[in-house]
Amino acid sequence: MLELVATEPSVAARLLRTLAATVRDLDDRRTDATVRDVPARVATWLVRRCADGRAPLHPGHAGLGAEIGATRVSVNRALRPFERRGMIEIGAREVIVLDRPALARVAAFRTAAEYRTSVYPCRSGWFIVTTWRPLAPRSALSKQ
């Protein structure tokens, strides 16, 4: 693999793009798990995974919880209000998304883009500081 990367610049570029995307995804997940509540994380997961309106739950609610950094009970507590409000329908090993825009609004609440993470070295390893910075209102963005 190293020889291929060394001799083919296009392979090296593709590998770096893939690694960068993976690092961004993992950083977003870490930020979500540390600063967002479980309903927002569940809504984000559903919006990302609902191809054709269905989000498969292969390992069940516990698997979803493990993926977003929550317990099975917390995932169940987050899903029930979505179901009561008509946003989703919980099926056997899948969640059927009925109102994707409503879920997207829940998911957009304090998204990872609104947080800034700084990492500082310290004696015991790394000191991580995550701060929330509100995004500009849409009206301010449209004037620019």
Side-chain angles (χ1 to χ4, degrees):
M1 177 73 174
L2 292 175
E3 185 179 317
L4 180 64
V5 169
T7 59
E8 293 292 331
S10 63
V11 172
R14 173 92 183 211
L15 179 63
L16 287 174
R17 280 193 301 274
T18 301
L19 289 173
T22 301
V23 168
R24 276 192 304 273
D25 181 54
L26 291 172
D27 185 54
D28 286 347
R29 286 185 191 195
R30 182 197 53 79
T31 301
D32 284 351
T34 56
V35 296
R36 295 178 73 209
D37 62 4
V38 175
R41 286 184 272 163
V42 169
T44 300
W45 188 91
L46 288 170
V47 168
R48 288 179 183 163
R49 301 293 195 295
C50 72
D52 75 353
R54 297 177 183 275
L57 293 174
H58 297 298
H61 294 176
L64 168 55
E67 192 170 333
I68 66 167
T71 65
R72 180 191 58 79
V73 174
S74 297
V75 169
N76 285 337
R77 284 185 188 146
L79 287 172
R80 294 297 173 209
F82 296 158
E83 187 175 40
R84 279 195 302 273
R85 292 183 184 126
M87 295 181 201
I88 64 169
E89 187 176 297
I90 300 172
R93 297 288 185 199
E94 71 177 359
V95 175
I96 301 161
V97 176
L98 303 173
D99 191 351
R100 191 173 193 278
L103 273 179
R105 284 190 298 274
V106 173
F109 180 72
R110 289 192 177 176
T111 61
E114 298 177 61
Y115 294 91
R116 179 171 180 229
T117 302
S118 303
V119 181
Y120 304 97
C122 65
R123 289 183 191 174
S124 61
W126 297 98
F127 180 69
I128 300 172
V129 177
T130 301
T131 54
W132 180 68
R133 57 180 174 83
L135 298 176
R138 288 188 190 275
S139 59
L141 291 175
S142 62
K143 291 178 185 176
Q144 296 176 354

